[in-house]
Amino acid sequence: MRACRRWTFVAVVVFALATWFVVPHGIGYSWRECDTQSIARNFLVDGFDPLHPRVDWRGTTAGYVECEFPLYQLMIATSLAGIGDLDAEWPGRLLALLAVLAGAIAVHRLLEWRTGPGGALVGTCTLLATGSAALMATRVMPDALSFGLAMASLPPFVRYLSTGSGVALLLSATSLALAGLQKPPALQ
């Protein structure tokens, strides 16, 4: 079991380093990333009001935009405030990468309980080898946080099913609710 966990740790670290240093960074032409980053920046400029997120393409209006609950954007805004740079893109990318890594670890834990250490290693490596994992981990979009929270809800739910623990059920439900607030398809 320890050897498989070590190999899983190596796979997670390799994935993190590869996506951070090999995959090109820069928002560029992605309007979704631009909107996400602008909502985060505008929380600092216009005030931390999660019920009234604002975009840059507001024209003569207040700039309010309909979107899912902006937890990810609030996390980026908090990071931007901490580093003192309103235009830095790397905090959003780092949060996305960490969310995908958390999701991969949750999948590993779930698979380890269900299939054993070898199956967990193979399943986690398969997840990290997908283009979706690399795409989510490198983009300034709430999809990665939604994925990470949804995957993090599964191990406590399985624990609840086997033990009846109310704490495990509460943890699972909270994580899944936050995932659904980020992107409703997480509830599927």
Side-chain angles (χ1 to χ4, degrees):
M1 180 181 272
R2 285 186 176 171
C4 285
R5 282 188 176 178
R6 277 194 293 267
W7 281 111
T8 301
F9 177 76
V10 168
V12 167
V13 169
V14 167
F15 173 81
L17 293 173
T19 55
W20 191 260
F21 292 109
V22 176
V23 177
H25 290 246
I27 288 177
Y29 60 87
S30 173
W31 65 268
R32 287 187 64 212
E33 287 184 275
C34 291
D35 281 354
T36 302
Q37 183 76 17
S38 73
I39 289 170
R41 186 182 61 247
N42 287 330
F43 278 134
L44 294 174
V45 173
D46 298 326
F48 274 85
D49 185 0
L51 299 179
H52 295 97
R54 299 174 188 225
V55 290
D56 286 347
W57 42 270
R58 59 181 82 178
T60 59
T61 69
Y64 300 136
V65 65
E66 70 286 344
C67 66
E68 294 89 353
F69 184 74
L71 176 62
Y72 177 68
Q73 292 90 328
L74 288 167
M75 293 169 70
I76 294 172
T78 303
S79 301
L80 293 175
I83 64 171
D85 183 1
L86 294 182
D87 294 321
E89 296 173 9
W90 68 264
R93 296 195 188 288
L94 181 60
L95 289 169
L97 176 60
L98 292 174
V100 170
L101 296 178
I105 291 168
V107 166
H108 178 268
R109 298 303 275 179
L110 181 65
L111 290 174
E112 194 171 61
W113 292 336
R114 306 296 288 177
T115 65
L121 172 62
V122 170
T124 305
C125 288
T126 301
L127 170 69
L128 293 176
T130 65
S132 295
L135 183 67
M136 283 190 296
T138 58
R139 300 291 178 249
V140 180
M141 293 188 295
D143 303 59
L145 183 60
S146 177
F147 166 77
L149 289 167
M151 294 302 103
S153 75
L154 295 175
F157 185 70
V158 170
R159 190 175 318 120
Y160 161 74
L161 292 176
S162 64
T163 66
S165 167
V167 173
L169 181 59
L170 180 63
L171 182 61
S172 176
T174 301
S175 184
L176 186 59
L178 289 172
L181 285 171
Q182 286 304 283
K183 296 301 254 182
L187 300 176
Q188 296 175 344

